[in-house]
Amino acid sequence: MSFDPVDYTSLDVPAAPFSDPARIPHFPEGSVPRHLGVIMDGNGRWAKQRGMERTQGHRAAEPVVFDTIAGAIEAGVRYLSLYTFSTENWKRSPSEVRFLMGFSRDIIHRRVTQMDDWGVRVRWAGRRPRLWKSVIDELEAAMERTRHNTRIDVIFCINYGGRAELADAATDIAREVAAGHIKGSKVTEKMIAQHLYNPDIPDCDLVLRTSGEQRTSNFLPWQAAYAELDFVPELFPDCGRDVLWRAIDDYIHRDRRFGGVDQA
Ligand code: IPE
Ligand code: IPE
Ligand code: MG
């Protein structure tokens, strides 16, 4: 099994992260998705197209993740959920899983100052069991350091699975019922929402998936139940803030009815 060590010197850290204001699209006040989720897909195919190891595609994604965060800040997105590692991704080869764990840990470590400088509040959504302790430690340190930031919440979904989140919520509710704190005869939607990993985070308005796949792969099934979906063909390492802005622009023109009827 080969472990691909991270070469810190080759990483492209955007020196001037924010765009010239003239370049930022003008989105009307209140029109931008408050909570935007991104399924960052296609790293492996990007690498394969270039005859490279899959891990090289993950490496190429790092600057794109931060360009995307910068673009979300510029657009005025308040919550950005990034699907980083799913509960299903453990099925991959041990060497790829090991790379993704180590890489996630290292990215959080080396980017925390940058995120803090940008006003990012780092959050995590996911399950503890199985996730590397060193990843949890870095997440917790980053969450503690950035907890007062209010510009944008960036939620790293690591060892995240929507079904796992709902099963964990159900387990918590069952425990509270058994303890006599709540009545088990009526479990409400509000109770379930209150037992999600981050109950304060509002519903997801827009899910953007890169790489052309048209599925949500267990990402935010509760929070994105009424989200607009946007599937774009670009592989994630070829993306960045322009793809995000295009998706926001597209979203703004959608007609969200939530089961109601448009006023004529
Ligand atoms: C997304 O890219 C990153 C993770 C799921 C961790 P993939 O690794 O899924 O790339 P493809 O879909 O195989 O091209
Ligand atoms: C979804 O991508 C998970 C992440 C982006 C972290 P996958 O590549 O794992 O999903 P499938 O296998 O195409 O559904
Ligand atoms: Mg994939």
Side-chain angles (χ1 to χ4, degrees):
M1 278 181 284
S2 63
F3 177 60
D4 208 358
V6 175
D7 174 7
Y8 291 92
T9 58
S10 71
L11 292 162
D12 172 16
V13 180
F18 295 110
S19 318
D20 174 348
R23 207 174 88 75
I24 305 169
H26 176 72
F27 298 116
E29 181 82 28
S31 66
V32 169
R34 189 148 68 120
H35 181 181
L36 197 160
V38 185
I39 304 177
M40 309 183 289
D41 198 18
N43 299 350
R45 278 163 283 167
W46 183 93
K48 203 171 169 200
Q49 284 173 358
R50 287 161 180 76
M52 295 169 6
E53 296 289 320
R54 292 179 55 82
T55 51
Q56 297 300 327
H58 300 315
R59 285 173 196 272
E62 180 180 348
V64 180
V65 170
F66 289 85
D67 202 66
T68 300
I69 295 172
I73 292 171
E74 290 170 331
V77 171
R78 184 59 189 80
Y79 299 89
L80 179 69
S81 287
L82 299 174
Y83 207 4
T84 309
F85 188 93
S86 75
T87 46
E88 288 69 42
N89 287 148
W90 297 105
K91 291 178 194 160
R92 298 189 178 196
S93 72
S95 64
E96 183 172 350
V97 166
R98 213 166 40 242
F99 177 86
L100 286 168
M101 285 291 127
F103 195 51
S104 302
R105 173 198 64 210
D106 294 348
I107 287 178
I108 298 155
H109 184 81
R110 66 173 162 263
R111 297 282 188 162
V112 67
T113 302
Q114 181 182 5
M115 288 193 280
D116 198 21
D117 289 349
W118 290 7
V120 171
R121 179 178 174 194
V122 176
R123 314 279 302 259
W124 167 45
R127 245 190 191 167
R128 267 170 197 274
R130 247 182 135 175
L131 185 54
W132 282 16
K133 185 178 177 300
S134 58
V135 176
I136 297 174
D137 289 347
E138 288 298 342
L139 281 165
E140 285 181 339
M143 288 192 287
E144 174 61 23
R145 177 164 165 185
T146 63
R147 71 182 198 280
H148 297 302
N149 291 339
T150 55
R151 205 172 190 191
I152 190 170
D153 286 27
V154 174
I155 305 103
F156 290 95
C157 302
I158 306 183
N159 199 21
Y160 176 83
R163 288 181 171 182
E165 180 174 34
L166 293 175
D168 289 349
T171 306
D172 285 350
I173 292 169
R175 199 177 293 123
E176 289 178 30
V177 170
H181 298 316
I182 51 176
K183 274 210 205 116
S185 56
K186 182 95 184 83
V187 176
T188 62
E189 289 189 16
K190 194 170 169 196
M191 273 159 72
I192 294 172
Q194 282 168 347
H195 287 82
L196 299 175
Y197 295 137
N198 293 296
D200 63 299
I201 297 178
D203 276 354
C204 185
D205 301 298
L206 170 64
V207 172
L208 167 65
R209 183 173 189 148
T210 65
S211 88
E213 306 296 355
Q214 299 191 17
R215 54 179 171 268
T216 55
S217 302
N218 205 10
F219 184 53
L220 304 178
W222 183 276
Q223 301 89 334
Y226 244 109
E228 298 297 319
L229 307 177
D230 197 349
F231 302 104
V232 299
E234 290 90 345
L235 303 175
F236 188 71
D238 292 326
C239 293
R241 70 189 81 188
D242 291 293
V243 171
L244 192 89
W245 290 344
R246 208 177 63 215
I248 293 172
D249 190 55
D250 189 60
Y251 165 88
I252 285 170
H253 295 95
R254 304 269 183 107
D255 183 15
R256 301 186 80 195
R257 292 187 290 278
F258 299 99
V261 178
D262 277 338
Q263 300 301 316

